[in-house]
Amino acid sequence: MKRVAIQGFKGSYHDIATREFFKNEKTSLICCDTFNEVFEAIASDSNIVALVAIENTIAGSLLHNYELLRNSGVVIVGEQKLRIAHCICCLPDEDWSDLNEVHSHPVALAQCEAFLQRHSELKAVQADDTALSAKEIKEKNLRGHAAICSTYAANMYGLRILQENIETNKHNFTRFLVVADRWRADELRAEGCIQRHTDKANIVFSLPHQEGSLSQILSIFTFYRINLTKIQSLPIIGREWEYMFYVDVTFDDYTRFHQSIDAVRPLTKELTILGEYKAFESNR
């Protein structure tokens, strides 16, 4: 059984993404309050695998998680993309006319802004987690309270779904990374839990503070026909106007990818490959 650390509770979107990625495996969730605790769980037990959100098509990148990835020493072994669809739910014997508050994670509330504007009679209350909001309504019998969460969470906690797909933007997806201790990653490949074939990688590097340094790196990747799918810069604390660059690349030739890394490494101040893995496929 795979022990998987997530931020959030059972029924959360992290839970759903975990089940999707390990759909042919039995998993046991380790529910953490924060992403820091997720990485601490791996540090305390190298058998634990983790799944962490890294970006959302509406909210953007989770910048703190990039730093946690780099500082933790874990490796990325896979990715999962999940369509985020919210519903509003309440106690089984209540209806719209009984409600006066709606609870959820602040990001979920923001993603349902248009719906909440149409229901201005409901006071929006921020909570730590979407699934936790549903869980507390059921366990504490919170009358007059509704939760915004997944239909999976609503059904898990026995709540009545009043309306589905209440998110403002229907093209709302979150990308999750599956990470593990380096030796555990080798075990997962040997067990067949993750694919041996890789066509995507995440790298991080810093550059000398001089003109054209980044364009040189990009030109080399172009020469080796390496496709950059994302680049994210974060300032280096204590080093004014210097940045760490987190780059996602895809490739169809593993040897050529490593040739490109060998070519750019001398031009960087430091470079780390955070993980090599198989890019997400919706029909995986």
Side-chain angles (χ1 to χ4, degrees):
M1 180 176 290
K2 301 293 180 297
R3 299 170 62 211
V4 185
I6 64 168
Q7 187 276 320
F9 294 79
K10 290 184 178 179
S12 66
Y13 292 101
H14 275 83
D15 178 6
I16 298 171
T18 298
R19 292 173 183 271
E20 286 292 320
F21 187 85
F22 293 106
K23 57 186 174 183
N24 297 320
E25 303 284 333
K26 291 184 178 180
T27 58
S28 173
L29 290 182
I30 301 171
C31 298
C32 304
D33 291 333
T34 67
F35 287 111
N36 291 67
E37 291 181 12
V38 170
F39 285 91
E40 288 170 4
I42 298 180
S44 65
D45 186 346
S46 56
N47 287 295
I48 294 173
V49 179
L51 183 138
V52 295
I54 197 66
E55 64 177 320
N56 176 265
T57 52
I58 298 174
S61 298
L62 282 75
L63 300 180
H64 182 54
N65 286 357
Y66 280 100
E67 291 292 280
L68 289 172
L69 276 169
R70 183 172 65 89
N71 294 329
S72 66
V74 301
V75 294
I76 303 166
V77 298
E79 67 176 358
Q80 180 69 37
K81 294 177 183 177
L82 185 69
R83 163 81 161 84
I84 305 299
H86 299 299
C87 76
I88 182 169
C89 56
C90 61
L91 290 171
D93 60 343
E94 292 197 311
D95 208 336
W96 289 104
S97 59
D98 301 305
L99 305 179
N100 49 62
E101 290 186 8
V102 56
H103 295 233
S104 194
H105 189 278
V107 172
L109 293 174
Q111 291 173 346
C112 301
E113 182 178 9
F115 170 84
L116 293 173
Q117 287 177 349
R118 293 193 300 271
H119 292 273
S120 56
E121 74 280 4
L122 298 178
K123 177 184 177 182
V125 179
Q126 295 186 359
D128 292 334
D129 186 70
T130 55
L132 178 61
S133 300
K135 182 175 185 287
E136 289 186 339
I137 287 174
K138 180 63 174 181
E139 292 183 351
K140 297 180 181 180
N141 195 39
L142 298 178
R143 308 195 68 79
H145 290 203
I148 288 177
C149 60
S150 66
T151 57
Y152 175 71
N155 290 325
M156 174 180 288
Y157 295 113
L159 296 180
R160 179 185 182 186
I161 297 174
L162 297 173
Q163 187 174 333
E164 297 184 31
N165 300 314
I166 64 172
E167 65 279 359
T168 304
N169 191 320
K170 306 307 178 185
H171 299 281
N172 183 10
F173 291 82
T174 294
R175 176 173 168 245
F176 300 84
L177 297 178
V178 183
V179 300
D181 181 272
R182 290 184 182 275
W183 77 265
R184 183 66 172 125
D186 293 335
E187 281 192 344
L188 291 171
R189 290 189 179 92
E191 294 168 2
C193 299
I194 57 176
Q195 298 188 44
R196 292 179 179 275
H197 173 73
T198 61
D199 57 12
K200 188 170 185 178
N202 291 44
I203 62 176
V204 56
F205 55 83
S206 62
L207 296 171
H209 187 48
Q210 61 189 44
E211 184 177 347
S213 58
L214 180 58
S215 63
Q216 285 183 297
I217 301 295
L218 300 182
S219 296
I220 291 173
F221 282 135
T222 300
F223 174 80
Y224 283 95
R225 299 195 298 278
I226 305 301
N227 182 35
L228 274 69
T229 59
K230 182 177 182 180
I231 182 168
Q232 177 76 54
S233 63
L234 290 177
I236 301 174
I237 305 301
R239 288 157 60 179
E240 292 79 4
W241 319 121
E242 292 190 37
Y243 299 85
M244 299 298 300
F245 293 91
Y246 294 83
V247 179
D248 295 2
V249 300
T250 58
F251 47 86
D252 54 20
D253 187 313
Y254 185 76
T255 299
R256 194 166 63 231
F257 162 64
H258 272 274
Q259 288 173 339
S260 73
I261 294 297
D262 291 339
V264 302
R265 193 181 295 276
L267 302 177
T268 66
K269 297 181 72 172
E270 53 182 294
L271 184 150
T272 303
I273 298 176
L274 296 175
E276 301 170 358
Y277 52 97
K278 178 66 177 174
F280 171 78
E281 296 176 354
S282 57
N283 59 350
R284 181 174 67 86

